[in-house]
Amino acid sequence: MIDISTLNQLNAPTKAERLENLKAVLKTTQFPPMVPQYINNHIHTTYSFSPYSPTAAVYAARMEGLCTAGIIDHDSISGAEEFLEAAKLMDMPVTIGMECRVSMEGTRLEGRRTNNPDQVGVSYMTIQGVPHDQIHTLTEFFKPYQAARHARNRKMIEKINDLVGVCLDYDKDVLPLSMAQENGGVTERHLMYALAIELVKQVGKGQGMIDKMTELGMNLSEKQKSMLLDTQYPFYEYDVLGMLKGTFVPKIFIDATDECPKLADMVKLCRDVDAYLCYAYLGDVGDSVTGDKKAQKFEDDYLDDVFECLKEEGVKAVTYMPTRNTPAQLERLRGLCEQYGMFQISGEDINSPRQSFVIKAMENPMFQNLIDATWKLIEHESK
């Protein structure tokens, strides 16, 4: 985590200010050595949900010793140009892409749960290795899908207001927390963040928040109570958001329809812009490897069918998170990738200030192929 003063400078209101501030910060910055094994191709920024602007994200990644980093935002690639410019100032090679939800209607996975905890028949996919001259093409493609998501978000804000007894306004309380004015994505996390801010206004931090959450029917762990009592933590509302998300998103969630492009359309889009469309493997959660995921079944029972579907529909890459899965899951997944000739990419979501950018699992020599894949993405983008 970079210090708050630096983060505030790199999170300045405009792109121009952020980059100018970076130039000033770099004059007094001593970076640690780059670690060849430290890569992360799935870093969220303020253009979806994150405490980091694209400029701050590159700086924070470099401060943790990453040798390269990749931007991934929900429904948006609008932060990519800033990400590239910041990386150039730091002489750090990076890769760009984005994430979206894709309707599996009309495929063998129609109506089945894959990698989406909230909805069946809709899969998370990433677009990786985007040539830099195709950023605008993707931005224009996703504008109508962003508009559809705004419409659904407004309905979910109404459900939050009814459920919690607050009066959140989407335009006044949610959109200012996002980069929507620059075609950034707005997610359920933004809705929960707005609720977190409102609850802090109502009851304050500390014991008052614990009491309020208990009143709302939340069963807080001792660790969560300790976090809520830490009233000096500069990202207090992020902790509140994380606790609210698990409880309230399932209660207010409305299925996404018009905001999810069909798989065939995504395959064509990525072929047209010469980018990689990647299925994001999640894997069943039993005893969570990371300790923070609830038990839930995803695609493992019919993973062979998932790969058959990807082959039939023209998807040629898979992205996965080595830290999240068990050795047995990874062995099976990697075997299927090899069997079906899938390009393997890695990356682990960064969207919270408590997370490290470093994927320690990448120190394992078995994942050298994922490191090599990152450099292939960077080379592909710059052709």
Side-chain angles (χ1 to χ4, degrees), residues 87-311:
K88 186 175 181 180
L89 289 173
M90 285 184 280
D91 195 26
M92 183 180 186
V94 295
T95 179
I96 64 170
M98 61 177 292
E99 181 174 10
C100 65
R101 290 149 307 141
V102 178
S103 171
M104 305 306 281
E105 183 181 347
T107 76
R108 67 166 64 203
L109 295 178
E110 180 175 350
R112 302 169 82 177
R113 185 176 303 283
T114 53
N115 58 10
N116 190 331
D118 302 312
Q119 186 174 351
V120 300
V122 172
S123 298
Y124 278 99
M125 293 194 173
T126 61
I127 304 172
Q128 311 260 184
V130 178
H132 301 167
D133 61 357
Q134 295 297 327
I135 293 172
H136 178 73
T137 302
L138 291 181
T139 296
E140 291 301 310
F141 178 88
F142 278 95
K143 280 183 177 178
Y145 298 107
Q146 289 177 336
R149 186 161 196 169
H150 285 307
R152 184 173 67 96
N153 284 342
R154 292 178 186 278
K155 294 177 182 178
M156 288 193 289
I157 279 291
E158 293 176 5
K159 294 185 73 172
I160 291 173
N161 288 339
D162 291 342
L163 185 65
V164 186
V166 293
C167 296
L168 294 175
D169 182 275
Y170 188 68
D171 296 290
K172 295 178 181 178
D173 298 315
V174 178
L175 290 183
L177 303 175
S178 76
M179 298 296 288
Q181 75 279 11
E182 296 180 26
N183 298 308
V186 181
T187 73
E188 285 82 8
R189 288 181 186 271
H190 289 93
L191 309 186
M192 292 297 108
Y193 192 42
L195 177 58
I197 292 171
E198 177 61 23
L199 292 180
V200 170
K201 287 180 182 177
Q202 287 187 8
V203 303
K205 301 177 181 180
Q207 187 61 46
M209 184 60 70
I210 294 175
D211 294 342
K212 182 63 177 179
M213 288 194 162
T214 302
E215 177 190 318
L216 292 173
M218 297 178 64
N219 184 19
L220 300 173
S221 68
E222 290 305 311
K223 179 181 178 180
Q224 288 174 324
K225 290 178 182 178
S226 176
M227 292 165 71
L228 293 177
L229 289 173
D230 184 4
T231 60
Q232 299 305 306
Y233 181 55
F235 295 97
Y236 188 88
E237 289 83 359
Y238 268 76
D239 285 346
V240 176
L241 145 72
M243 298 173 204
L244 291 172
K245 184 174 180 288
T247 297
F248 287 102
V249 167
K251 295 180 180 180
I252 60 97
F253 187 81
I254 297 171
D255 279 352
T257 53
D258 295 344
E259 68 202 67
C260 300
K262 300 290 193 298
L263 180 55
D265 294 333
M266 289 302 303
V267 169
K268 181 181 184 303
L269 171 68
C270 290
R271 187 185 304 122
D272 289 346
V273 301
D274 193 24
Y276 293 95
L277 179 63
C278 310
Y279 175 81
Y281 171 75
L282 198 57
D284 297 353
V285 178
D287 293 326
S288 173
V289 173
T290 54
D292 63 349
K293 302 291 189 298
K294 67 179 182 180
Q296 190 170 357
K297 297 285 287 183
F298 290 102
E299 70 271 77
D300 279 349
D301 284 349
Y302 41 86
L303 192 56
D304 290 342
D305 265 4
V306 171
F307 274 83
E308 279 295 318
C309 177
L310 300 179
K311 177 183 176 181

